[in-house]
């Protein structure tokens, strides 16, 4: 097909608009900047999840250790209850964060880091529950106290 002069002019003008160097360079730079920004944001999310996972594991370890501490004074029990309250509040914030980032994770971004973080938060919830039982629930239970006395008598 041979282009007529009006068609040629229309085609060449349209083509010039699309591939105009200054616009194309600006568009390419904007695209590179966008990709760079997205990459940095993904790295920041991954690093944040790794840090949060580490923190949750550390808190869980401390709470696990406190579960087995012999409480001799009421002041110590009150300190542990305060630590439990702080840990529970932090745990609730982390659960909210899990929900907040779930849509991003569902798209496949930072899935490995998210799974490790989610597992660490679940472990944290268990540690809080165990310590709550050991320090608050069980000591108030007559059955538990009777069983502990019987165990002490056997030793």
């Amino acid at each position: 097909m041979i282009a007529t002069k009006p068609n040629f002019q229309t085609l060449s003008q349209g083509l010039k608009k699309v591939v105009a160097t200054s616009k194309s360079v600006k568009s390419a730079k904007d695209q590179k900047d966008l990709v760079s920004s997205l990459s940095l944001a993904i790295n920041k999310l991954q690093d944040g999840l790794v840090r949060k996972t580490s923190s949750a594991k550390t808190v869980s370890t401390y709470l696990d250790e406190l579960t087995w501490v012999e409480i001799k004074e009421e002041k110590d029990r009150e300190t542990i209850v305060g630590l439990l309250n702080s840990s529970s509040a932090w745990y609730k914030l982390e659960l909210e964060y899990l929900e907040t980032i779930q849509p991003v994770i569902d798209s496949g971004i930072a899935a490995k880091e998210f799974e490790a973080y989610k597992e660490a938060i679940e472990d944290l919830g268990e540690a809080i529950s165990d310590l709550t039982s050991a320090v608050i629930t069980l000591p108030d239970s007559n059955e538990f106290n009777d069983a502990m006395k019987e165990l002490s008598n056997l030793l």
Side-chain angles (χ1 to χ4, degrees):
M1 167 187 226
I2 300 176
T4 63
K5 189 166 185 152
N7 285 341
F8 177 75
Q9 287 178 339
T10 303
L11 292 172
S12 63
Q13 287 174 353
L15 187 57
K16 286 178 184 177
K17 285 182 182 177
V18 173
V19 295
T21 307
S22 63
K23 288 182 181 177
S24 297
V25 169
K26 183 179 183 311
S27 176
K29 182 181 180 321
D30 289 346
Q31 290 170 356
K32 286 179 183 178
D33 289 347
L34 176 62
V35 169
S36 178
S37 294
L38 285 171
S39 180
L40 288 171
I42 290 168
N43 289 338
K44 187 176 178 180
L45 174 63
Q46 289 171 322
D47 292 345
L49 287 171
V50 168
R51 279 192 310 278
K52 284 177 164 289
T53 299
S54 177
S55 295
K57 286 180 178 183
T58 300
V59 172
S60 292
T61 299
Y62 287 141
L63 294 176
D64 286 340
E65 290 178 17
L66 282 173
T67 300
W68 301 105
V69 168
E70 184 178 346
I71 301 171
K72 295 183 180 184
E73 297 181 25
E74 183 59 23
K75 181 178 82 172
D76 295 337
R77 184 181 161 311
E78 290 171 2
T79 298
I80 292 173
V81 169
L83 293 170
L84 247 176
N85 291 337
S86 297
S87 298
S88 293
W90 184 64
Y91 171 70
K92 288 176 185 173
L93 289 173
E94 295 303 310
L95 288 176
E96 289 175 17
Y97 182 71
L98 278 170
E99 288 181 27
T100 300
I101 65 169
Q102 187 68 53
V104 173
I105 303 306
D106 288 345
S107 70
I109 296 172
K112 182 179 79 172
E113 293 84 357
F114 178 78
E115 284 305 313
Y117 170 63
K118 185 177 175 184
E119 185 178 309
I121 293 303
E122 289 169 357
D123 291 345
L124 176 61
E126 288 178 31
I128 289 170
S129 178
D130 291 347
L131 185 56
T132 300
S133 292
V135 175
I136 297 171
T137 308
L138 293 177
D140 290 340
S141 167
N142 289 334
E143 291 176 21
F144 174 76
N145 289 323
D146 292 343
M148 291 305 291
K149 285 178 188 174
E150 286 183 34
L151 283 173
S152 294
N153 291 336
L154 293 175
L155 299 174

